[in-house]
Amino acid sequence: MKLIDGKATAMAIKAEIAEEVKCIVANGGKQPHLVAVLVGHDGGSETYVKNKVLACEQCGFKSTLIRYEENITETELLACVDKLNKDDDVDGFIVQLPLPKHIDEQKIVEAIDYHKDVDGFHPVNVGRMSIGLPCFISATPLGILTLLQRYHIETSGKKCVILGRSNIVGKPMAQLMMQKQYGDATVTVCHSHSATLKEECREADIIIAAIGRPDFVTADMVKEGAVVIDVGTTRVPDASRKSGFRLNGDVKFDEVAPKCSFITPVPGGVGPMTICSLMKNTLAAGKKEFYK
Ligand code: GUN
């Protein structure tokens, strides 16, 4: 069994990005600028955004954090998005999700100029991704693809089972694993209502678990030699930790790992790669790589 080290891979890629930024700036180019908008004080979102700002520093990007209280109105948030869309100094921006219930998330996502949508959540980017055109690809699926590539894991012609059908992970992951230019795999998507979920998993060469249920994937569901990618990051109460919780993946790691050829840990697997992919997208935005 080989452990896929997302933390080390992300560090290496951020160092590569930092080198490229140095060259861009040395040649008179613009330092990429990412803006993160954070509404409220959700613990998970606070951590994600803090890590995104830190990653910007590591990559040599300019970053700006805009904070709003939980009671901001939808109109006010839309005005913020509009301002960022028009600000030439801003290459890319994200609005951290989830948003408070009184704000229509989809309306906010669709208000973001797709040229600056480094999350890859705007329907234009989602649509372009699904037909294989250049675009911002959402960060978690892009991070997983990068891990598979960097570890030289063969995906072409393999049976890949994706657990979960979210807009952020399951659906785009399925699209990418299916496409010839990325995964080139035979893809099955399972979800909470799939009657044959266990059977599908047992036949899979690659399992990507993004179902959000701690320890869901057990050893009896995994074929000998399979590749297992764990996207789960559920906060589980843990009195032995200073924070009072630990991050729990969707895979019962201790019993599944011995059966795998490759497996990602939680934490230190997919998580750091997600942020690293956001950095890749921000660099691409700065370079106007996908859209002129
Ligand atoms: N919430 C959880 N993951 C993400 C992400 O990748 N981007 C944004 N904007 N919000 C999130």
Side-chain angles (χ1 to χ4, degrees):
M1 181 274 291
K2 199 165 178 353
L3 200 63
I4 298 178
D5 190 340
K7 197 170 168 188
T9 308
M11 290 287 278
I13 293 173
K14 283 184 283 188
E16 290 165 18
I17 294 174
E19 273 306 308
E20 193 171 341
V21 171
K22 251 192 212 164
C23 288
I24 291 171
V25 173
N27 288 310
K30 180 184 172 301
Q31 184 188 25
H33 182 194
L34 175 71
V35 176
V37 180
L38 177 59
V39 178
H41 299 275
D42 172 77
S45 295
E46 291 269 2
T47 306
Y48 285 133
V49 168
K50 191 181 83 188
N51 288 333
K52 286 171 186 179
V53 169
L54 178 67
C56 282
E57 275 173 37
Q58 293 168 334
C59 292
F61 296 170
K62 178 177 171 184
S63 70
T64 305
L65 171 58
I66 301 177
R67 300 194 71 126
Y68 290 107
E69 287 305 321
E70 187 90 14
N71 61 2
I72 185 178
T73 65
E74 188 177 279
T75 310
E76 285 167 332
L77 191 54
L78 284 169
C80 168
V81 167
D82 186 50
K83 205 169 152 203
L84 292 170
N85 284 340
K86 290 175 179 153
D87 186 340
D88 286 340
D89 189 52
V90 176
D91 296 296
F93 67 99
I94 62 155
V95 178
Q96 188 65 28
L97 306 179
L99 291 169
K101 293 224 168 3
H102 65 276
I103 296 176
D104 181 344
E105 258 178 26
Q106 193 56 28
K107 203 165 164 182
I108 301 298
V109 166
E110 290 187 36
I112 296 172
D113 180 348
Y114 68 85
H115 299 84
K116 296 188 178 188
D117 168 40
V118 283
D119 260 332
F121 293 169
H122 190 284
V124 169
N125 282 312
V126 176
R128 289 178 65 94
M129 181 274 295
S130 74
I131 53 173
L133 294 176
C135 64
F136 296 112
I137 294 174
S138 88
T140 302
L142 181 57
I144 292 169
L145 282 181
T146 307
L147 278 182
L148 293 170
Q149 282 161 4
R150 292 236 169 183
Y151 277 80
H152 308 291
I153 294 169
E154 182 61 82
T155 56
S156 178
K158 301 291 181 189
K159 278 192 180 181
C160 174
V161 168
I162 294 165
L163 301 179
R165 54 181 160 182
S166 71
N167 289 340
I168 294 182
V169 185
K171 279 186 206 140
M173 197 72 242
Q175 286 286 354
L176 293 165
M177 286 305 284
M178 174 188 5
Q179 283 180 40
K180 195 175 176 67
Q181 60 177 318
Y182 297 109
D184 198 27
T186 304
V187 178
T188 303
V189 180
C190 294
H191 48 77
S192 53
H193 289 94
S194 297
T196 57
L197 187 146
K198 282 201 175 208
E199 290 81 354
E200 301 290 351
C201 284
R202 272 186 214 119
E203 294 200 350
D205 301 305
I206 303 165
I207 297 175
I208 301 176
I211 206 160
R213 290 208 229 159
D215 296 339
F216 182 81
V217 178
T218 46
D220 61 311
M221 292 163 69
V222 178
K223 186 170 86 172
E224 203 66 48
V227 176
V228 174
I229 307 292
D230 191 349
V231 188
T233 51
T234 308
R235 284 182 165 200
V236 174
D238 185 341
S240 72
R241 304 285 174 101
K242 208 170 81 186
S243 59
F245 68 85
R246 66 186 152 81
L247 283 187
N248 206 121
D250 286 356
V251 177
K252 206 162 187 182
F253 185 89
D254 290 348
E255 63 174 55
V256 170
K259 295 185 85 174
C260 297
S261 54
F262 291 90
I263 187 168
T264 61
V266 175
V270 173
M273 289 303 295
T274 296
I275 293 182
C276 168
S277 300
L278 177 67
M279 299 300 114
K280 271 191 180 177
N281 279 345
T282 304
L283 178 62
K287 290 160 70 180
K288 310 232 179 307
E289 199 169 308
F290 304 134
Y291 305 114
K292 295 295 162 211

